[in-house]
C-alpha cells in the first residue's frame, strides 16, 4: 500500500483512504460511488488521524458487505459512515449493569528503565495473570497480586529497556521498549513491515467457487455465511463482530483453559459462543466439524499456536476446500519478530507512536493514543479483507489465506499524516445518541451501535452477547431470520 501523507502536517482525506483500501482489495471501483463519509478530524485528542482510520476501515468493511450482496443478485445500495460515530465505536466504550469495567492490571503500563540504552521507557502488559507473574519472576520480584507498582519501578532501574524487552520475549512475555519512528524504521522488524502490504490475500489451494445460500432482498448482506472465530482480546473479536452486524453467522470459540478479558461482553454482540478444548481429541473433532461448515476461519492466537494443533491454513484448505483463512499477528508474518506476541498498547510503543504523541504534546513521558485504534482498525480491516477474499473465491475459486498484523496497521495509520491541533480536541462525553441498550447473558449492556448504515438493508446484531460455552459447538440447522426475530 502506498503512503498517502507520511509525516505530512495534514491528514489524508477519508475518501482517498477508502479508495486506496478498495484498490488494495482489488474490488470494483464503481462501488465507491455508493459510499458516503461524513465528519472531520479531530474527533478525539490525538495528533494522528485516528478517527479517519476508524471511519475508513469501517467503511471498507461495510461497503464490501454491500458488494457481496450485489454479487448475490441485488442492486447496489448506499453505505454511510459518520466519523464521530466510527471513532467512538473504536473506543470500546460500554457499561455493564451500570458500571464501567477496569480493563488494566495495576502493573500494566509505562516504566522508566536504567539509563544508558537507546530507549528510556518500556511498556509492560500484565493484564493476564500468567504474563504478570512471568514478568515478576523475570525481574526478581514475588509473583501475585500483592506486588505493588513502586516495587516494579525500583526493580527496573537495573534493566535497560531493550534488554528487558528481549528477555521478556524469550520467555513468551509481553514487553515493548519505547522507540522513536526513526528507531523503528531502522529496526529489522520495522524494515520487514515496510517491505510488505497492509494486508495480503494468497490462494493456498484449489477449489471450485462455493455456492452461497439464497438471500432475499430484505435480509442483511452476509446472511447465510458462516464465520468461525478463534480469537481473544480486541482485534479478532472486532472482525467477527463486524461480520455479524452484516448478517454472518459468527461462532466464537474459546478454550476452557484460558482467561478472557472484560471486553468480551461488548465484542461478542451478534455471536454464538462455544467452548472447545483443542488439547482433547473430542475437541479437535468438534472444531473439524465446525470448519467443514464454515466459509471463513479467523484466528488470532500466538504465532504457530493454532498451526501446531493441526489447524494451519493448508490443513483447513484440505478439510474445507474454498475456505477463507484470516491470520492475525502482532508484528507481521516475516522478519525477526514474526513469532513475537504483542498487543495494541505494546505495538504503539514499539513502533514509535507513544514518543511521537508525547513530542506533539510537549511532554517527556510517552503518551498513548486515545483508543486502541490498532486493534480496532485491524479488526475492521480483517473483516474487509475476509470479504475481499470471499469475492475472489466467488470469481476464481480456490482456498484463500488473508494476513494482517497490528504492526502493519501501525504503518498504515502513520501514513495517514498528522492532524493539526489534534491534541487540543477534548474527548466528548455526550454520546448518548450513539448508544444501544440490550439485555445479554452477562447483564444489561450499554454500548455504541455499529456506525455503518445501509440504504436498503438492516445493520444489526441479531444475537445478544453470551458467556463462553453458552452455545453448543455445532452450527445451528437454520439461521435466525430477521423477519421472524
Amino acid at each position: 500500500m502506498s503512503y498517502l501523507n507520511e509525516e505530512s502536517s495534514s491528514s489524508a482525506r477519508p475518501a482517498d483512504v477508502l479508495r486506496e483500501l478498495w484498490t488494495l482489495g482489488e474490488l470494483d471501483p464503481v462501488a465507491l460511488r455508493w459510499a458516503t463519509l461524513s465528519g472531520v478530524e479531530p474527533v478525539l485528542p490525538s495528533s494522528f488521524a485516528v478517527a479517519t482510520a476508524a471511519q475508513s476501515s469501517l467503511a471498507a468493511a461495510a461497503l464490501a458487505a454491500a458488494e457481496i450482496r450485489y454479487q448475490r443478485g441485488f442492486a447496489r445500495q448506499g453505505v454511510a459512515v459518520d466519523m464521530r460515530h466510527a471513532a467512538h465505536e473504536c473506543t470500546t466504550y460500554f457499561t455493564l449493569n451500570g458500571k464501567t469495567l477496569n480493563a488494566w492490571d495495576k502493573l500494566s503500563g509505562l516504566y522508566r528503565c536504567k539509563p544508558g540504552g537507546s530507549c528510556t521507557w518500556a511498556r509492560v502488559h500484565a493484564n493476564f495473570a500468567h504474563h504478570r507473574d512471568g514478568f515478576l519472576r523475570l525481574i526478581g520480584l514475588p509473583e501475585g497480586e500483592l506486588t505493588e507498582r513502586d516495587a516494579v519501578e525500583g526493580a527496573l532501574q537495573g534493566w535497560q529497556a531493550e534488554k528487558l524487552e528481549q528477555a521478556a520475549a524469550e520467555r513468551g512475555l509481553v514487553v515493548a521498549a519505547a522507540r522513536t519512528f526513526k528507531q523503528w524504521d531502522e529496526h529489522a522488524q520495522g524494515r520487514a513491515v515496510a517491505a510488505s502490504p497492509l494486508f495480503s490475500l494468497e490462494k493456498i489451494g484449489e477449489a471450485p467457487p462455493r455456492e452461497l445460500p439464497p438471500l432475499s432482498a430484505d435480509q442483511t448482506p452476509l446472511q447465510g455465511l458462516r464465520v468461525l472465530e478463534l480469537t481473544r482480546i480486541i482485534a479478532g473479536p472486532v472482525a467477527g463482530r463486524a461480520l455479524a452486524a452484516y448478517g454472518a453467522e459468527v461462532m466464537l470459540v474459546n478454550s476452557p483453559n484460558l482467561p478472557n478479558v472484560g471486553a468480551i461482553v461488548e465484542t461478542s454482540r451478534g455471536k454464538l459462543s462455544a467452548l472447545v478444548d483443542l488439547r482433547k481429541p473430542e475437541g479437535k473433532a468438534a472444531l473439524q466439524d465446525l470448519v467443514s461448515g464454515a466459509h471463513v476461519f479467523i484466528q488470532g492466537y500466538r504465532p504457530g499456536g493454532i498451526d501446531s494443533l493441526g489447524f494451519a491454513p493448508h490443513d483447513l484448505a484440505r478439510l474445507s476446500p474454498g475456505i477463507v483463512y484470516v491470520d492475525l499477528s502482532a508484528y507481521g508474518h516475516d522478519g525477526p519478530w514474526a513469532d513475537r506476541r504483542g498487543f495494541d498498547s505494546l505495538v504503539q510503543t514499539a513502533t514509535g507512536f507513544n514518543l511521537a504523541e508525547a513530542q506533539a504534546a510537549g511532554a517527556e513521558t510517552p503518551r498513548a493514543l486515545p483508543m486502541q485504534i490498532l486493534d480496532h482498525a485491524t479488526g475492521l480491516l480483517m473483516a474487509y479483507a475476509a470479504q475481499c477474499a470471499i469475492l475472489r473465491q466467488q470469481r476464481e475459486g480456490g482456498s484463500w489465506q488473508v494476513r494482517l498484523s497490528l504492526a502493519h496497521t501501525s504503518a498504515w495509520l502513520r501514513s495517514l499524516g498528522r492532524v493539526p491541533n489534534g491534541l487540543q480536541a477534548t474527548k466528548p462525553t455526550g454520546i448518548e445518541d450513539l448508544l444501544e441498550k440490550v439485555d445479554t447473558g452477562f447483564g444489561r449492556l450499554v454500548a455504541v451501535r455499529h456506525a455503518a448504515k445501509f440504504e436498503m438493508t438492516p445493520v444489526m446484531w441479531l444475537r445478544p452477547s453470551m458467556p463462553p460455552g453458552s452455545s453448543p459447538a455445532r452450527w445451528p440447522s437454520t439461521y435466525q431470520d430477521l423477519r421472524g426475530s
Side-chain angles (χ1 to χ4, degrees):
M1 184 169 188
S2 65
Y3 285 84
L4 294 170
N5 282 292
E6 185 167 8
E7 310 302 341
S8 171
S9 59
S10 60
S11 58
R13 293 177 61 248
D16 293 337
V17 181
L18 175 59
R19 183 179 301 107
E20 187 125 331
L21 291 172
W22 205 251
T23 300
L24 181 60
E26 300 184 19
L27 300 186
D28 187 347
V30 172
L32 292 168
R33 300 175 190 171
W34 273 260
T36 300
L37 306 181
S38 57
V40 295
E41 293 275 13
V43 176
L44 299 173
S46 177
S47 68
F48 292 95
V50 292
T52 297
Q55 181 186 38
S56 57
S57 56
L58 195 151
L63 193 62
E67 190 69 358
I68 288 177
R69 179 180 182 270
Y70 171 69
Q71 295 298 328
R72 296 175 83 175
F74 298 94
R76 283 195 168 101
Q77 62 174 326
V79 176
V81 179
D82 177 70
M83 183 180 288
R84 169 177 168 264
H85 193 163
H88 283 289
E89 183 175 343
C90 292
T91 63
T92 319
Y93 169 82
F94 70 94
T95 62
L96 183 65
N97 297 325
K99 298 180 180 179
T100 302
L101 302 185
N102 180 17
W104 297 98
D105 184 87
K106 65 182 179 180
L107 299 186
S108 292
L110 282 164
Y111 293 88
R112 186 185 289 274
C113 293
K114 178 181 178 181
S118 58
C119 299
T120 303
W121 298 85
R123 185 178 293 278
V124 174
H125 196 286
N127 287 7
F128 290 124
H130 65 290
H131 286 158
R132 178 200 65 209
D133 291 344
F135 170 71
L136 292 173
R137 285 195 302 272
L138 171 64
I139 63 174
L141 292 178
E143 300 175 27
E145 299 179 355
L146 297 181
T147 298
E148 296 296 333
R149 191 176 177 90
D150 57 357
V152 176
E153 291 172 348
L156 292 187
Q157 293 306 299
W159 285 85
Q160 291 182 350
E162 287 176 293
K163 291 183 178 179
L164 176 68
E165 175 188 68
Q166 180 61 32
E170 290 171 356
R171 290 161 176 79
L173 306 174
V174 276
V175 175
R179 292 174 176 79
T180 63
F181 281 149
K182 183 175 185 294
Q183 287 173 318
W184 176 250
D185 291 344
E186 294 172 350
H187 192 278
Q189 192 59 37
R191 293 196 299 271
V193 169
S196 50
L198 174 60
F199 62 83
S200 64
L201 279 67
E202 179 187 358
K203 190 175 182 180
I204 58 171
E206 296 299 328
R210 294 183 67 169
E211 183 177 353
L212 301 182
L215 185 73
S216 62
D218 60 343
Q219 288 179 317
T220 45
L222 302 187
Q223 196 134 348
L225 276 73
R226 288 173 168 173
V227 177
L228 193 55
E229 180 197 318
L230 275 73
T231 72
R232 298 163 71 218
I233 321 303
I234 304 296
V238 164
R241 186 186 67 186
L243 295 172
Y246 308 144
E249 182 80 282
V250 179
M251 179 175 289
L252 172 63
V253 175
N254 274 283
S255 167
N257 308 305
L258 294 174
N260 245 303
V261 295
I264 191 174
V265 174
E266 192 267 345
T267 58
S268 291
R269 284 180 285 175
K271 304 175 188 178
L272 300 163
S273 188
L275 288 173
V276 175
D277 189 346
L278 294 180
R279 300 186 302 186
K280 297 180 178 179
E282 58 269 28
K284 288 187 177 182
L287 188 60
Q288 288 171 346
D289 287 343
L290 288 168
V291 167
S292 65
H295 297 87
V296 177
F297 180 91
I298 301 174
Q299 84 85 19
Y301 282 84
R302 62 176 175 80
I306 294 295
D307 293 15
S308 66
L309 295 170
F311 295 94
H314 286 87
D315 295 325
L316 267 64
R318 288 190 295 270
L319 181 62
S320 182
I323 199 166
V324 171
Y325 189 110
V326 183
D327 203 351
L328 170 67
S329 67
Y331 291 102
H333 294 81
D334 299 303
W337 284 15
D339 294 332
R340 189 165 292 196
R341 307 173 191 189
F343 300 103
D344 177 300
S345 59
L346 300 178
V347 177
Q348 282 190 36
T349 302
T351 62
F353 276 92
N354 288 179
L355 289 177
E357 194 81 305
Q359 183 180 32
E364 177 188 357
T365 304
R367 177 170 175 153
L369 298 175
M371 75 281 224
Q372 291 179 278
I373 187 59
L374 302 186
D375 265 334
H376 283 270
T378 301
L380 293 164
L381 291 169
M382 290 167 71
Y384 168 60
Q387 294 177 97
C388 292
I390 290 171
L391 289 165
R392 290 282 291 275
Q393 208 285 330
Q394 290 289 291
R395 295 196 307 265
E396 305 172 24
S399 300
W400 293 83
Q401 181 179 10
V402 179
R403 285 181 165 181
L404 305 94
S405 81
L406 300 180
H408 281 84
T409 301
S410 169
W412 173 69
L413 174 61
R414 182 177 164 189
S415 81
L416 304 185
R418 308 295 283 269
V419 178
N421 302 315
L423 284 168
Q424 296 179 15
T426 57
K427 192 170 184 178
T429 56
I431 62 170
E432 289 78 10
D433 58 313
L434 308 179
L435 302 178
E436 64 177 11
K437 302 176 182 179
V438 61
D439 291 320
T440 75
F442 299 93
R444 182 70 167 174
L445 174 68
V446 178
V448 179
R449 301 186 314 275
H450 191 57
K453 295 181 179 179
F454 290 165
E455 180 184 9
M456 300 177 186
T457 56
V459 177
M460 61 186 298
W461 291 292
L462 291 174
R463 305 179 188 278
S465 301
M466 296 298 290
S470 298
S471 307
R474 61 177 182 272
W475 295 112
S477 56
T478 58
Y479 186 72
Q480 182 179 357
D481 194 304
L482 277 173
R483 293 165 297 184
S485 61

